[in-house]
Every structure is written in structure tokens, then in C-alpha cells.
Amino acid sequence: MLHLVQHPLITHKLTQIRKKDTGTKDFREALDEIAGLMAYEISRDLPLREVEIETPIAECTTHEMAKNIVLVPILRAGLGMVDGITNLIPTAKVGHVGMYRDHESLEPQEYYAKLPLCITDAVVMVLDPMLATGGSASATITYLKEQGATLIRLVCIVGAPEGVKRIEEAHPDVDIYLSALDDKLNEKGYIVPGLGDAGDRLFGTR
């Protein structure tokens, strides 16, 4: 299911990173801040368990997080979303998955993966600023399922209808969170209007 996370602050900051003249520093900071603002929505229905505690005044029954949270940024652009979410959920563990597109098959291929041991029973959040064709995200989700993950959420900043459709068809059990659903992909596979290559803009590369 697609969830659009909309808020005036997110819209404002998204406008800043869409601008072609926004530099690396400002792009990185705004991307991090958007991820942090989105974290409130993507964590809204996380499972809780009942606990008995003692306050300075009295004993009481309350609740705490029932499952581990694992963030899995897709290298490299997904790294720009990690700090914004861990600022809100500092106990979250972080895994990493790297994907590249094979020049002959044009299919994503995994080149690096390192995951926490608790992934099987955790809420796993796959992070990538852009959901374009959905190829890398779909391949990452498939890999995580093969490793035992059962509760997976895909968290992106900007998406295209083509990418959303691909994830919904390949992984109907995975919720998708976007701050904006853009118009389409162009002939080169870039999101329109989008914000360009998030990895290059995040790290100052070309």
C-alpha cells in the first residue's frame, strides 16, 4: 500500500532539494531533515508491548517498543536518510545493501550486504531517496525476504508511478512511504520533475 507523507515542513524542504542550484551541504541537510520528519509517520503503528514500571510517584502500566527496528539504506544514496531516522529512533540497528545495474541484463545485482542478526523478527525499513524504476528496491526487498525478513517497509522521498507499480506487483505485502509521487520517468529513467541524481547531489560527485 502506498502512503503519502505530507506536511508543510516536508513540502518546504522538498522544494529546496528539488532546486538545481541547491549545493551539497544544503541538499544533504534537507534530505536528512525530510527523513526525520517522515520517521514520525512511518513509525506511527509500530508494535508495542505492555510493561510494568515504577515512576518516582507510583507503579503504572505502560508500553514500550515490542520489536527491533532495522534500517537498510540502499547504497549509496540511502545513507543520506539514516541519521534523520536514527535521531528519532536511536536504538535502530543499521544494515547495508549495495546494488548495481548489470550492463547486459539491465537487472540489479547485489555487490554488498551486511545485516544485523535480528532481522527475522524486526521491522525492516528499506531506505532510498528515489523510487524510479523500482528495480533496486525490489531486488533489495527480495534479498531481505530471503534472509528471513517478514515485516518490511520501503521509505523513499520521491517516487514515480512506474516504481510504485513495480513494488506493488512484486511485493504486495510491503508498505511504501513517499513524501511526493511525481509524474513519470523520462527516457533515461529519471523521475520527472524529480530532483536529479540523489547520490551525486548528496555526495558532490558527478
Side-chain angles (χ1 to χ4, degrees):
M1 179 182 294
L2 173 63
H3 304 267
L4 284 177
V5 184
Q6 297 180 322
H7 187 281
L9 289 175
I10 292 177
T11 300
H12 173 78
K13 294 176 186 299
L14 180 56
T15 297
Q16 306 313 305
I17 64 174
R18 285 191 190 275
K19 293 178 180 178
K20 65 179 182 180
D21 56 350
T22 296
T24 300
K25 174 181 177 294
D26 292 336
F27 185 93
R28 184 182 298 138
E29 290 177 352
L31 183 67
D32 182 67
E33 290 165 354
I34 293 171
L37 290 167
M38 290 182 70
Y40 284 93
E41 185 63 29
I42 62 179
S43 62
R44 178 182 296 276
D45 60 349
L46 292 179
L48 298 172
R49 60 170 171 251
E50 189 175 281
V51 293
E52 300 289 334
I53 67 167
E54 187 173 350
T55 77
I57 308 301
E59 293 182 352
C60 73
T61 301
T62 183
H63 297 83
E64 65 182 11
M65 299 288 292
K67 291 184 176 293
N68 287 311
I69 308 299
V70 174
L71 308 181
V72 181
I74 299 177
L75 301 179
R76 59 191 166 133
L79 293 172
M81 300 174 65
V82 172
D83 287 348
I85 298 177
T86 55
N87 285 339
L88 182 69
I89 314 173
T91 57
K93 296 174 171 52
V94 182
H96 298 87
V97 172
M99 292 281 176
Y100 73 92
R101 180 176 294 185
D102 183 90
H103 291 298
E104 294 184 2
S105 69
L106 300 181
E107 291 299 315
Q109 303 291 322
E110 171 209 331
Y111 68 86
Y112 180 82
K114 187 77 170 179
L115 301 173
L117 295 176
C118 65
I119 191 172
T120 302
D121 193 44
V123 177
V124 180
M125 300 182 183
V126 178
L127 311 180
D128 195 349
M130 312 295 289
L131 178 58
T133 65
S136 294
S138 183
T140 298
I141 292 168
T142 297
Y143 172 78
L144 292 171
K145 288 180 176 179
E146 291 171 350
Q147 305 310 305
T150 57
L151 298 173
I152 302 174
R153 301 176 181 193
L154 176 61
V155 185
C156 306
I157 306 298
V158 176
E162 295 90 334
V164 171
K165 181 180 179 182
R166 181 165 183 171
I167 299 300
E168 289 179 335
E169 291 179 347
H171 304 284
D173 56 327
V174 172
D175 283 343
I176 306 166
Y177 293 83
L178 301 176
S179 63
L181 179 62
D182 281 9
D183 299 337
K184 60 181 180 179
L185 297 178
N186 66 15
E187 64 280 358
K188 295 183 179 180
Y190 282 93
I191 299 173
V192 179
L195 47 82
D197 187 303
D200 283 345
R201 299 192 67 192
L202 182 65
F203 294 106
T205 55
R206 298 181 63 183

